[in-house]
Amino acid sequence: MAKIDRRDSVPVEVGGIMIGGCQSVVVQSMTNTDTADAVQTAAQIIQLARAGSELVRITVNNREAARAVPEIFARVRDAGYNTPIIGDFHYNGHLLLSEFPACAKALAKYRINPGNVGAGKHHDENFKRMIDVAIENHKPVRIGVNWGSLDQAMLARLMDENARLARPLDGQEVMKEAIVRSAIESAELAESYGLPRNRIILSAKCSNVQDLVDVYRELGRRGNYALHLGLTEAGMGAKGIVASAAALSILLQEGIGDTIRVSLTPAPNGDRSEEVIVAQQILQSMGIRSFVPQVTACPGCGRTTSTLFQEMADDIGRYLREQMPIWRESYSGVEEMKVAVMGCVVNGPGESKHANIGISLPGTGEEPRAPVFVDGKLRTTLKGPQIVPDFISILNQYVESSYGRKAD
């Protein structure tokens, strides 16, 4: 599959962040708190922002939620975060945006699902009202089509057209065409109401990897709108992570996608920011963007019966991510740093030499010594119970000396 040149996609500004064109792919996420609870929702936005989410979406599903948006916005800003907050609207968005102008003003972008704005003549009326509010407030809009809430009138029309063909397409193909057509036609309708293309982002989410790839390839081929990627209802744990990585990586490799979200179902009381970390890791693993220093660690084998290298790799990885909110402000380029934590002499010294800083821990039966390599050269050899803190001390010294501090 030839790579699509997306450099001609129309850039869109969302709360000061540019999306599309030659801009970097942007990571976003969504809260799962009750939006009416301004304290909890603001706290989760801050948590997601600290994890690296550059845009955060909240559901605005009723009057209580709409009324809480200005307070949420103020709490996030008072905490020192300028993260753009996006409002997600279904069914009653035309009412809420009209009735609560402070909500409409505070949000950086509105997400509209054309399948959930009303039926018949009310569809276009409700859709137009939301677009009118966006125009009045100079806000961009994401027109987000979803496999599970597709515009049924459009789907029925395309099914009827397909049935009259001499060689009808498979129903699944008609469904995918309906998703693409819904997104494109809704964007064209918004433009006809006066919303410029540089305030429109499209998404067309499915829960099946191959369907998602097919749909976004068509969206990328048919227009130059900025595109938001995401595998909807990806699932929990390994299933959700692997499926999202598979789908998004194919599209990103083909040059398709300007923002991404990994829609993971968190474990009960789980950490919502996991989806941010996965999205960042997809982009970093593909060499598209860097967010946090990467840790290379071996999988372990019979030569590494000790759990020391596993525990150290986990400790170092957690330490790097915890430090990044501080380092990001003080050390330019530190997110490109590579760290190796290896478990035995087979690949340990070699991988450590290829990293900026690496340690080769002793495997089973090896001498209890851990050589540390800095920029490919042996720096020192650690031993004893203080290996982990000693290595972290060397790591901190390397960050300070190699990436320097930005001028105040």
mmCIF file of all heavy atoms in Angstrom, residues 158-176:
data_model
loop_
_atom_site.group_PDB
_atom_site.id
_atom_site.type_symbol
_atom_site.label_atom_id
_atom_site.label_comp_id
_atom_site.label_asym_id
_atom_site.label_seq_id
_atom_site.Cartn_x
_atom_site.Cartn_y
_atom_site.Cartn_z
ATOM 1 N N LEU A 158 -28.203 3.974 1.382
ATOM 2 C CA LEU A 158 -27.143 3.284 0.662
ATOM 3 C C LEU A 158 -27.470 1.810 0.456
ATOM 4 O O LEU A 158 -27.120 1.218 -0.574
ATOM 5 C CB LEU A 158 -25.822 3.437 1.399
ATOM 6 C CG LEU A 158 -25.225 4.843 1.443
ATOM 7 C CD1 LEU A 158 -23.861 4.831 2.114
ATOM 8 C CD2 LEU A 158 -25.099 5.435 0.053
ATOM 9 N N MET A 159 -28.144 1.208 1.420
ATOM 10 C CA MET A 159 -28.562 -0.188 1.269
ATOM 11 C C MET A 159 -29.558 -0.321 0.114
ATOM 12 O O MET A 159 -29.482 -1.276 -0.679
ATOM 13 C CB MET A 159 -29.174 -0.707 2.570
ATOM 14 C CG MET A 159 -28.174 -0.970 3.676
ATOM 15 S SD MET A 159 -27.078 -2.388 3.308
ATOM 16 C CE MET A 159 -26.254 -2.573 4.898
ATOM 17 N N ASP A 160 -30.484 0.632 0.015
ATOM 18 C CA ASP A 160 -31.454 0.613 -1.085
ATOM 19 C C ASP A 160 -30.746 0.791 -2.429
ATOM 20 O O ASP A 160 -31.059 0.093 -3.408
ATOM 21 C CB ASP A 160 -32.494 1.719 -0.894
ATOM 22 C CG ASP A 160 -33.454 1.422 0.245
ATOM 23 O OD1 ASP A 160 -33.514 0.255 0.669
ATOM 24 O OD2 ASP A 160 -34.114 2.363 0.717
ATOM 25 N N GLU A 161 -29.806 1.721 -2.485
ATOM 26 C CA GLU A 161 -29.063 1.949 -3.725
ATOM 27 C C GLU A 161 -28.278 0.694 -4.102
ATOM 28 O O GLU A 161 -28.210 0.307 -5.280
ATOM 29 C CB GLU A 161 -28.094 3.125 -3.557
ATOM 30 C CG GLU A 161 -28.780 4.478 -3.431
ATOM 31 C CD GLU A 161 -27.784 5.592 -3.152
ATOM 32 O OE1 GLU A 161 -26.557 5.312 -3.115
ATOM 33 O OE2 GLU A 161 -28.219 6.752 -2.971
ATOM 34 N N ASN A 162 -27.691 0.050 -3.121
ATOM 35 C CA ASN A 162 -26.902 -1.150 -3.375
ATOM 36 C C ASN A 162 -27.769 -2.293 -3.893
ATOM 37 O O ASN A 162 -27.368 -3.050 -4.788
ATOM 38 C CB ASN A 162 -26.187 -1.576 -2.089
ATOM 39 C CG ASN A 162 -25.271 -2.762 -2.300
ATOM 40 O OD1 ASN A 162 -24.309 -2.705 -3.056
ATOM 41 N ND2 ASN A 162 -25.572 -3.863 -1.607
ATOM 42 N N ALA A 163 -28.980 -2.417 -3.334
ATOM 43 C CA ALA A 163 -29.879 -3.498 -3.747
ATOM 44 C C ALA A 163 -30.276 -3.378 -5.209
ATOM 45 O O ALA A 163 -30.612 -4.383 -5.855
ATOM 46 C CB ALA A 163 -31.113 -3.504 -2.853
ATOM 47 N N ARG A 164 -30.243 -2.168 -5.753
ATOM 48 C CA ARG A 164 -30.642 -1.966 -7.146
ATOM 49 C C ARG A 164 -29.495 -2.191 -8.135
ATOM 50 O O ARG A 164 -29.698 -2.144 -9.350
ATOM 51 C CB ARG A 164 -31.195 -0.544 -7.319
ATOM 52 C CG ARG A 164 -32.521 -0.317 -6.592
ATOM 53 C CD ARG A 164 -33.188 0.970 -7.044
ATOM 54 N NE ARG A 164 -32.472 2.147 -6.606
ATOM 55 C CZ ARG A 164 -32.696 2.781 -5.456
ATOM 56 N NH1 ARG A 164 -33.632 2.329 -4.628
ATOM 57 N NH2 ARG A 164 -32.000 3.859 -5.132
ATOM 58 N N LEU A 165 -28.299 -2.406 -7.627
ATOM 59 C CA LEU A 165 -27.162 -2.651 -8.502
ATOM 60 C C LEU A 165 -27.241 -4.028 -9.143
ATOM 61 O O LEU A 165 -27.787 -4.975 -8.555
ATOM 62 C CB LEU A 165 -25.861 -2.536 -7.715
ATOM 63 C CG LEU A 165 -25.510 -1.153 -7.125
ATOM 64 C CD1 LEU A 165 -24.233 -1.259 -6.302
ATOM 65 C CD2 LEU A 165 -25.358 -0.122 -8.226
ATOM 66 N N ALA A 166 -26.673 -4.158 -10.331
ATOM 67 C CA ALA A 166 -26.656 -5.452 -11.002
ATOM 68 C C ALA A 166 -25.842 -6.456 -10.187
ATOM 69 O O ALA A 166 -26.183 -7.646 -10.126
ATOM 70 C CB ALA A 166 -26.070 -5.296 -12.410
ATOM 71 N N ARG A 167 -24.774 -5.970 -9.565
ATOM 72 C CA ARG A 167 -23.942 -6.817 -8.710
ATOM 73 C C ARG A 167 -23.803 -6.137 -7.348
ATOM 74 O O ARG A 167 -22.836 -5.407 -7.105
ATOM 75 C CB ARG A 167 -22.573 -7.035 -9.335
ATOM 76 C CG ARG A 167 -22.621 -7.845 -10.622
ATOM 77 C CD ARG A 167 -21.224 -8.099 -11.158
ATOM 78 N NE ARG A 167 -21.247 -8.903 -12.348
ATOM 79 C CZ ARG A 167 -20.158 -9.285 -13.029
ATOM 80 N NH1 ARG A 167 -18.956 -8.869 -12.593
ATOM 81 N NH2 ARG A 167 -20.263 -10.022 -14.114
ATOM 82 N N PRO A 168 -24.766 -6.351 -6.457
ATOM 83 C CA PRO A 168 -24.736 -5.684 -5.148
ATOM 84 C C PRO A 168 -23.473 -6.034 -4.361
ATOM 85 O O PRO A 168 -22.953 -7.144 -4.447
ATOM 86 C CB PRO A 168 -25.994 -6.216 -4.450
ATOM 87 C CG PRO A 168 -26.880 -6.683 -5.553
ATOM 88 C CD PRO A 168 -25.959 -7.199 -6.623
ATOM 89 N N LEU A 169 -23.003 -5.047 -3.595
ATOM 90 C CA LEU A 169 -21.864 -5.269 -2.728
ATOM 91 C C LEU A 169 -22.280 -6.024 -1.471
ATOM 92 O O LEU A 169 -23.471 -6.059 -1.106
ATOM 93 C CB LEU A 169 -21.240 -3.916 -2.323
ATOM 94 C CG LEU A 169 -20.695 -3.041 -3.449
ATOM 95 C CD1 LEU A 169 -20.294 -1.681 -2.889
ATOM 96 C CD2 LEU A 169 -19.524 -3.709 -4.145
ATOM 97 N N ASP A 170 -21.305 -6.602 -0.807
ATOM 98 C CA ASP A 170 -21.542 -7.223 0.491
ATOM 99 C C ASP A 170 -22.016 -6.165 1.481
ATOM 100 O O ASP A 170 -21.584 -5.015 1.423
ATOM 101 C CB ASP A 170 -20.234 -7.861 0.981
ATOM 102 C CG ASP A 170 -20.367 -8.451 2.364
ATOM 103 O OD1 ASP A 170 -20.867 -9.573 2.473
ATOM 104 O OD2 ASP A 170 -19.964 -7.760 3.328
ATOM 105 N N GLY A 171 -22.913 -6.548 2.398
ATOM 106 C CA GLY A 171 -23.464 -5.601 3.363
ATOM 107 C C GLY A 171 -22.401 -4.904 4.189
ATOM 108 O O GLY A 171 -22.545 -3.726 4.545
ATOM 109 N N GLN A 172 -21.307 -5.606 4.502
ATOM 110 C CA GLN A 172 -20.227 -5.004 5.271
ATOM 111 C C GLN A 172 -19.569 -3.866 4.494
ATOM 112 O O GLN A 172 -19.185 -2.842 5.070
ATOM 113 C CB GLN A 172 -19.176 -6.072 5.612
ATOM 114 C CG GLN A 172 -18.132 -5.635 6.610
ATOM 115 C CD GLN A 172 -18.617 -5.723 8.051
ATOM 116 O OE1 GLN A 172 -19.809 -5.901 8.300
ATOM 117 N NE2 GLN A 172 -17.712 -5.604 8.999
ATOM 118 N N GLU A 173 -19.424 -4.046 3.185
ATOM 119 C CA GLU A 173 -18.831 -2.999 2.359
ATOM 120 C C GLU A 173 -19.736 -1.774 2.300
ATOM 121 O O GLU A 173 -19.264 -0.638 2.290
ATOM 122 C CB GLU A 173 -18.565 -3.531 0.948
ATOM 123 C CG GLU A 173 -17.526 -4.637 0.885
ATOM 124 C CD GLU A 173 -16.200 -4.212 1.483
ATOM 125 O OE1 GLU A 173 -15.721 -3.110 1.129
ATOM 126 O OE2 GLU A 173 -15.645 -4.970 2.297
ATOM 127 N N VAL A 174 -21.043 -2.013 2.242
ATOM 128 C CA VAL A 174 -21.993 -0.898 2.243
ATOM 129 C C VAL A 174 -21.906 -0.142 3.567
ATOM 130 O O VAL A 174 -21.947 1.088 3.613
ATOM 131 C CB VAL A 174 -23.428 -1.389 1.993
ATOM 132 C CG1 VAL A 174 -24.409 -0.222 2.030
ATOM 133 C CG2 VAL A 174 -23.523 -2.110 0.656
ATOM 134 N N MET A 175 -21.763 -0.873 4.658
ATOM 135 C CA MET A 175 -21.642 -0.248 5.975
ATOM 136 C C MET A 175 -20.416 0.653 6.031
ATOM 137 O O MET A 175 -20.480 1.806 6.500
ATOM 138 C CB MET A 175 -21.533 -1.332 7.050
ATOM 139 C CG MET A 175 -21.309 -0.808 8.450
ATOM 140 S SD MET A 175 -22.796 -0.163 9.219
ATOM 141 C CE MET A 175 -23.520 -1.692 9.808
ATOM 142 N N LYS A 176 -19.292 0.171 5.515
ATOM 143 C CA LYS A 176 -18.075 0.982 5.528
ATOM 144 C C LYS A 176 -18.224 2.222 4.643
ATOM 145 O O LYS A 176 -17.764 3.304 4.998
ATOM 146 C CB LYS A 176 -16.879 0.129 5.094
ATOM 147 C CG LYS A 176 -16.445 -0.873 6.158
ATOM 148 C CD LYS A 176 -15.165 -1.581 5.795
ATOM 149 C CE LYS A 176 -15.382 -2.663 4.776
ATOM 150 N NZ LYS A 176 -14.170 -3.497 4.594
#
